[in-house]
């Protein structure tokens, strides 16, 4: 499956998504965040990409990017999807109704990049200790020498 | 009643906590608690040069260091548009297969001990040490190798390596017969493992599960076959599949994978004997990751502005499908490194294959998942 | 192993009913007198028993070394794997190195142990669990920091979640360098610790 084919099959229902080629995969779809559930349902049921590989988040200072990787056993290919949301109050619909395996990926993105997922069943922190107030994967979070870190942790 | 199994418990094989809700001996609910080994590898990577990140990748999954090096290096090469010479690809393939053998032997040693048989631990560790000796002969390390580099591998194989490797393969293939006799011939093993931790294929796909767990449910999905990378497209092997979807099925899949790995290894060793060549791409300086130019070699240093781009790679790690996504914004360091571990997903679905069994069934089930906490927490 | 029986499905359907707890009217155990425990301590007890027979000087030369000799030849480390070094820790107990010939037998309960081998990266999340385990171990007890992470944070020293050296949490007797140290290095560390115990005075 090529990027043109993916684009052709999505164009009718989703005129607002952009499909571009991405080497080694079936393509890369950029879509508006509001259409997440609809688009992912179509990708799963219509295009046959039924295996969610990962959900990741990137901090681009002014906005945050969410990317999804899905795999199709029929086409033997990966498909990339990504969307951008403003960094002001970053929140997005949870993907767990479509792909239950998004659960922990979204918990991780929530605590490390600070994105809130609406209607997520269980958005507790996963990796950081209880009460940890920082989002380490933000660009504004800098790594310190241990002496500084020690003082900081005692303050919390 | 909720009880904690972990973070210090013989079942965990690592640093995590399984909270179990029980009624007598019956498991009603589970809640895995991770993060005890969260070292922030993704964050540290943003402050490192590409070749310096390899050090972290070895420690991400400490039983499959070579596979994670391979994963990251492929993504980095994808992002930086670097072509790798063929011999380096074959050496990488061989290294990854040896790593798979070592990892599965480690799993065998730990898992069979979980169900109460002690001597297989000693056999597994003994044979794993032979594989680690091979690693040591060409990388210098037993667990953490720092062997692969952006653009190839650090050094070529030493003379006489392939002969020794073949001897180890022969020894191992004899031992695998013995392993099977020890386990499959034992009534205790079957009573302990059959029909335990069942997770059907449709559920596996719904919950994103990959690797031996998925293949034990009858789905022949293996990235080495489906999306060949390195030299996997040129070797002949079969994907191990079982139909039980239970603990015994996972055992059968892993043992068959060990045999198939030996088959791949023999082919790669033959190829490496027949073909010589460079192991490092020419347009990549060896000191790519060095923070300073080596003395007197200033002209050798690459320019510090890498091309902008994103890199993606997917490999079949011993535990399943591992993904890496590297974003390069033109600086010396990657802008973002995202790693997806197969065990992360497999543990996340713990509720699906643990609820309804007995407390005493948890060690064999979790043993069959083959947990490596380093790559879950990163 | 082929097909799946109905047994697990039937178990899944079990109810969530809470069993009523039995009422406890009297303690099920008879409490041990602390004085009895004191009397069982080796060194004072031996001193008391031998006090009439031996001089003060001879007691010092005999009883403490005897106690140290017994202790250093049966070190029981806690069976606990933290990170990469835990794999080498396991290899040391495998067929090739066989650490058990030095009397080093890993135990799963901290209450049976007198040696804590910190084999891996210690994060802030696990820090208080590590201290709790250390405090559950009976005296006398020792700690080995195995590998660079336990010694000083190792390659993750600058990370936000890592304790830069386990000696910030518990007192460490022996440090082993290496990332990870080879099993020989671990055995060497254990033998060094035995040397330390041998020279222990009080």
């Amino acid at each position: 499956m090529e990027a043109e084919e993916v684009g052709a099959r999505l164009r009718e229902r989703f005129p607002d998504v952009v499909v571009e080629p991405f080497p080694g995969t079936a393509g890369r779809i950029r879509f508006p965040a509001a259409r997440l559930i609809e688009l992912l349902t179509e990708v799963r049921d219509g295009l046959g990409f039924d295996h969610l590989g990962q959900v990741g988040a990137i901090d681009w200072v002014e906005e945050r990017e969410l990317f999804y990787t899905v795999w199709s056993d029929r086409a033997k290919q990966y498909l990339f999807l990504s969307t951008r949301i403003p960094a002001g109050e970053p929140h997005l619909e949870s993907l767990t109704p479509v792909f239950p395996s998004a659960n922990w990926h979204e918990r991780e993105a929530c605590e490390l990049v600070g994105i809130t997922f609406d209607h997520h069943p269980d958005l507790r922190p996963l990796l950081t200790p209880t009460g940890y107030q920082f989002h380490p994967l933000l660009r504004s979070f800098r790594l310190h020498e241990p002496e500084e870190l020690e003082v900081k942790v005692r303050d919390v | 009643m909720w009880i904690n199994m972990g973070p210090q418990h013989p079942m965990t094989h690592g640093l995590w906590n399984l909270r179990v809700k029980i009624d007598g001996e019956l498991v009603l609910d589970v809640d895995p608690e991770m993060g005890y080994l969260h070292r922030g590898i993704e964050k540290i990577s943003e402050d490192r040069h590409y070749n310096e990140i390899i050090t972290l990748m070895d420690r991400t999954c400490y039983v499959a260091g070579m596979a994670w090096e391979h994963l990251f290096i492929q993504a980095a090469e994808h992002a930086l548009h670097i072509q790798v010479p063929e011999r380096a690809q074959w050496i990488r393939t061989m290294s990854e297969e040896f790593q798979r053998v070592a990892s599965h032997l480690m799993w065998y040693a730990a898992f069979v001990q979980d169900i109460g048989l002690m001597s297989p631990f000693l056999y597994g560790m003994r044979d794993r040490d032979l594989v680690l000796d091979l690693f040591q002969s060409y990388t210098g390390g037993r667990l953490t190798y720092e062997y692969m580099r952006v653009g190839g591998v650090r050094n070529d194989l030493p003379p006489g390596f392939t002969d020794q490797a073949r001897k180890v393969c022969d020894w191992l293939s004899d031992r695998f017969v013995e392993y099977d006799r020890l386990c499959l011939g034992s009534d205790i093993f079957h009573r302990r493992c059959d029909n335990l931790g069942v997770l059907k294929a449709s559920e596996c796909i719904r919950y994103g599960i990959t690797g031996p767990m998925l293949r034990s449910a009858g789905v022949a999905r293996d990235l080495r076959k489906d999306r060949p990378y390195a030299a996997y497209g040129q070797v002949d092997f079969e994907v191990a599949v079982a139909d039980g979807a239970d603990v015994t099925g996972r055992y059968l899949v892993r043992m068959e994978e060990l045999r198939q790995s030996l088959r791949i290894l023999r082919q790669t060793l033959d190829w490496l004997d027949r073909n010589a060549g460079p192991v490092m791409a020419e347009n990549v300086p060896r000191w790519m990751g060095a923070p300073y130019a080596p003395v007197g070699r200033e002209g050798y240093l690459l320019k510090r502005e890498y091309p902008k781009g994103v890199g993606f790679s997917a490999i079949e790690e011993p535990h399943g499908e591992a993904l890496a996504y590297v974003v390069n914004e033109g600086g010396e360091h990657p802008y973002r490194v995202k790693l997806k571990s197969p065990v992360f997903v497999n543990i996340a679905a713990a509720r699906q294959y643990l609820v309804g069994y007995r407390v005493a069934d948890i060690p064999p089930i979790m043993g069959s998942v083959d947990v490596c906490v380093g790559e879950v927490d990163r | 192993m082929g097909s799946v029986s109905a047994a697990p499905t039937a178990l899944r359907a079990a109810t969530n009913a809470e069993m009523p707890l039995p009422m406890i009217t009297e303690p099920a155990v008879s409490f041990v007198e602390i004085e009895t425990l004191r009397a069982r301590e080796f060194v004072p007890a031996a001193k008391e028993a031998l006090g009439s027979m031996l001089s003060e000087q001879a007691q010092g030369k005999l009883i403490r070394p005897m106690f140290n000799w017994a202790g250093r030849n049966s070190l029981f480390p806690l069976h606990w794997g933290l990170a990469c070094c835990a794999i080498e820790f396991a290899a040391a107990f495998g067929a090739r190195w066989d650490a058990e010939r030095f009397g080093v037998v890993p135990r799963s309960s901290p209450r049976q142990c007198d040696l804590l081998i910190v084999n891996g990266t210690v994060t802030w999340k696990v820090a208080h669990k590590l201290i709790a385990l250390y405090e559950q171990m009976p005296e006398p007890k020792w700690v080995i920091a195995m590998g660079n992470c336990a010694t000083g944070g190792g390659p993750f020293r600058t990370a936000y979640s890592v304790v830069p050296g386990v000696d910030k949490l518990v007192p460490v007797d022996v440090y082993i360098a290496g990332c990870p140290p080879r099993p020989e290095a671990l055995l060497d560390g254990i033998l060094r610790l035995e040397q330390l115990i041998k020279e222990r005075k009080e």
Side-chain angles (χ1 to χ4, degrees):
Chain A
M1 201 181 280
E2 292 298 319
E4 291 89 41
E5 195 189 337
V6 173
R9 290 174 67 171
L10 288 176
R11 197 166 298 135
E12 202 171 307
R13 259 191 80 188
F14 301 94
D16 46 356
V17 306
V18 181
V19 185
E20 55 196 44
F22 184 41
T25 67
R28 187 187 172 91
I29 303 178
R30 297 185 187 279
F31 63 96
R35 310 214 61 182
L36 171 76
I37 299 290
E38 273 177 87
L39 179 66
L40 265 292
T41 313
E42 173 63 23
V43 163
R44 185 190 66 179
D45 300 335
L47 298 182
F49 289 88
D50 56 357
H51 207 127
L52 180 73
Q54 63 176 350
V55 180
I58 306 177
D59 176 29
W60 295 103
V61 187
E62 265 117 51
E63 47 190 12
R64 312 245 164 106
E65 181 182 344
L66 262 288
F67 62 91
Y68 303 84
T69 311
V70 284
W71 165 266
S72 161
D73 239 4
R74 240 176 299 155
K76 309 278 185 208
Q77 263 178 328
Y78 283 103
L79 180 67
F80 261 79
L81 301 105
S82 75
T83 184
R84 294 203 177 202
I85 49 177
E89 237 180 61
H91 70 99
L92 190 75
E93 197 62 30
S94 168
L95 193 61
T96 40
V98 189
F99 289 105
S101 57
N103 189 334
W104 276 27
H105 291 299
E106 288 179 350
R107 275 173 77 178
E108 192 196 314
C110 173
E111 65 174 336
L112 296 185
V113 195
I115 295 167
T116 313
F117 291 91
D118 306 331
H119 306 111
H120 189 282
D122 176 19
L123 211 52
R124 284 174 300 155
L126 179 68
L127 300 177
T128 50
T130 323
Y132 193 72
Q133 293 164 358
F134 306 97
H135 301 300
L137 280 178
L138 294 184
R139 298 304 288 186
S140 53
F141 184 94
R142 303 304 304 165
L143 293 180
H144 299 273
E145 272 302 303
E147 283 71 21
E148 294 172 52
L149 179 85
E150 210 178 340
V151 175
K152 207 168 164 187
V153 168
R154 278 187 192 148
D155 285 349
V156 166
Chain B
M1 182 175 70
W2 284 94
I3 56 167
N4 288 313
M5 291 177 95
Q8 189 262 329
H9 189 279
M11 176 276 294
T12 55
H13 297 305
L15 204 55
W16 62 292
N17 183 8
L18 182 69
R19 301 184 66 235
V20 191
K21 190 182 185 191
I22 54 167
D23 177 13
E25 281 288 304
L26 195 66
V27 178
L28 298 178
D29 197 2
V30 296
D31 177 23
E33 197 183 341
M34 311 306 296
Y36 292 107
L37 194 53
H38 178 57
R39 295 158 292 186
I41 283 178
E42 290 177 1
K43 184 68 185 177
I44 306 175
S45 301
E46 293 174 9
D47 275 4
R48 301 258 179 128
H49 298 271
Y50 280 90
N51 276 347
E52 289 169 347
I53 298 173
I54 303 164
T55 313
L56 303 175
M57 288 304 130
D58 275 323
R59 286 146 184 88
T60 304
C61 181
Y62 34 81
V63 291
M66 211 53 114
W68 278 79
E69 281 179 25
H70 197 181
L71 172 74
F72 173 75
I73 286 297
Q74 276 190 348
E77 282 160 358
H78 190 191
L80 305 177
H81 314 294
I82 291 169
Q83 293 296 323
V84 184
E86 201 179 6
R87 187 173 167 85
Q89 295 280 27
W90 280 85
I91 293 179
R92 285 179 183 186
T93 310
M94 182 202 71
S95 305
E96 200 189 319
E97 282 313 305
F98 268 128
Q99 188 66 73
R100 192 180 314 277
V101 173
S103 171
H104 281 5
L105 286 173
M106 183 74 215
W107 161 81
Y108 175 82
F111 164 71
V112 186
Q113 199 185 15
D114 276 346
I115 56 175
L117 306 174
M118 184 62 200
S119 44
F121 170 75
L122 299 172
Y123 295 157
M125 295 306 277
R126 175 195 66 189
D127 296 340
R128 179 173 168 272
D129 277 330
L130 296 176
V131 180
L132 297 192
D133 284 349
L134 290 178
F135 276 133
Q136 208 183 327
S137 72
Y138 70 97
T139 69
R142 275 165 54 83
L143 282 190
T144 48
Y145 314 101
E146 287 99 40
Y147 177 60
M148 296 186 193
R149 292 284 189 272
V150 176
V153 295
R154 191 179 62 205
N155 52 280
D156 209 332
L157 302 172
F161 173 83
T162 46
D163 295 333
Q164 178 61 25
R166 272 194 205 91
K167 276 186 208 159
V168 171
C169 288
D170 293 343
W171 164 269
L172 287 177
S173 63
D174 293 347
R175 295 287 84 70
F176 294 158
V177 180
E178 198 177 294
Y179 289 0
D180 269 354
R181 271 215 308 272
L182 263 171
C183 290
L184 297 180
S186 157
D187 197 32
I188 297 174
F189 181 88
H190 284 293
R191 283 173 186 231
R192 208 79 168 83
C193 299
D194 286 1
N195 300 326
L196 203 65
V198 176
L199 194 62
K200 287 297 177 58
S202 58
E203 289 281 287
C204 281
I205 290 174
R206 226 169 98 72
Y207 286 93
I209 282 171
T210 51
M213 276 188 86
L214 179 64
R215 290 195 282 277
S216 78
V219 182
R221 188 187 153 196
D222 193 325
L223 288 176
R224 291 175 291 168
K225 205 74 163 174
D226 297 342
R227 191 177 179 278
Y229 52 93
Y232 281 112
Q234 300 168 57
V235 292
D236 187 27
F237 69 103
E238 277 158 26
V239 179
V241 178
D243 60 350
D246 58 353
V247 175
T248 317
R250 286 164 213 153
Y251 171 87
L252 292 172
V253 165
R254 288 207 176 85
M255 292 314 280
E256 182 57 30
E257 271 184 28
L258 281 171
R259 281 179 219 111
Q260 296 295 336
S261 285
L262 292 190
R263 202 172 144 193
I264 298 173
L265 278 170
R266 290 202 174 98
Q267 294 172 45
T268 53
L269 292 171
D270 288 346
W271 193 95
L272 290 168
D273 268 351
R274 276 185 273 110
N275 300 277
V279 292
M280 191 58 141
E282 279 176 5
N283 56 349
V284 183
R286 283 184 95 85
W287 300 98
M288 185 170 179
Y292 306 105
V295 180
R297 305 288 292 276
E298 282 79 7
Y300 199 45
L301 197 72
L302 81 167
K303 63 178 193 317
R304 281 293 166 78
E305 287 298 310
Y306 300 130
K308 279 192 184 187
V310 289
F312 167 69
S313 89
I315 67 161
E316 189 71 27
E317 203 230 347
H319 309 92
E321 166 211 62
L323 307 176
Y325 187 71
V326 176
V327 182
N328 190 17
E329 272 300 288
E332 297 172 19
H333 315 297
Y335 186 85
R336 173 86 164 89
V337 177
K338 169 81 176 91
L339 304 168
K340 178 256 175 179
S341 140
V343 188
F344 182 84
V345 180
N346 293 2
I347 292 191
R351 194 168 282 142
Q352 312 307 317
Y353 50 76
L354 283 178
V355 171
Y357 296 100
R358 306 281 171 174
V359 175
D361 295 337
I362 293 177
I365 297 176
M366 289 319 299
S368 75
V369 175
D370 193 8
V371 178
C372 172
V373 183
E375 58 171 81
V376 181
D377 292 350
R378 299 184 298 276
Chain C
M1 81 201 97
S3 64
V4 180
S5 79
T9 331
L11 288 177
R12 269 168 217 263
T15 57
N16 199 347
E18 297 283 340
M19 296 283 286
L21 286 173
M23 287 296 288
I24 297 171
T25 50
E26 57 183 26
V29 293
S30 55
F31 292 111
V32 179
E33 294 287 328
I34 300 297
E35 282 68 33
T36 332
L37 280 183
R38 288 252 162 74
R40 281 187 206 155
E41 261 191 82
F42 180 83
V43 175
K47 273 187 179 161
E48 200 182 314
L50 300 173
S52 55
M53 285 181 268
L54 296 171
S55 67
E56 195 77 8
Q57 211 179 359
Q59 280 178 24
K61 282 197 174 162
L62 187 66
I63 296 168
R64 174 54 67 181
M66 224 163 88
F67 182 66
N68 289 346
W69 167 80
R72 74 169 187 269
N73 284 310
S74 65
L75 284 169
F76 284 12
L78 184 63
H79 184 268
W80 194 26
L82 284 161
C84 331
C85 296
I87 308 292
E88 291 296 60
F89 174 80
F93 291 91
R96 187 182 287 186
W97 282 280
D98 191 18
E100 291 187 14
R101 68 202 147 115
F102 297 108
V104 184
V105 185
R107 310 295 300 178
S108 289
S109 167
R111 293 169 209 282
Q112 299 169 343
C113 299
D114 51 5
L115 172 60
L116 177 65
I117 298 183
V118 185
N119 44 19
T121 320
V122 183
T123 59
W124 288 109
K125 190 167 179 174
V126 85
H128 66 282
K129 309 253 156 118
L130 188 134
I131 294 171
L133 283 167
Y134 177 75
E135 286 177 350
Q136 282 174 9
M137 286 163 49
E139 289 278 358
K141 52 194 169 187
W142 294 276
V143 178
I144 291 182
M146 181 184 179
N148 291 354
C149 289
T151 305
F156 310 106
R157 189 177 165 82
T158 53
Y160 51 89
S161 55
V162 172
V163 181
V166 73
D167 49 7
K168 305 268 189 299
L169 307 173
V170 292
V172 177
D173 297 286
V174 175
Y175 298 88
I176 306 173
C179 192
R182 294 175 56 87
E184 292 98 324
L186 175 63
L187 295 184
D188 183 50
I190 289 171
L191 293 179
R192 290 289 170 97
L193 180 65
E194 289 186 3
Q195 198 62 34
L196 279 183
I197 298 170
K198 192 178 176 185
E199 290 157 7
R200 185 164 165 260
K201 291 282 184 280
E202 207 45 60

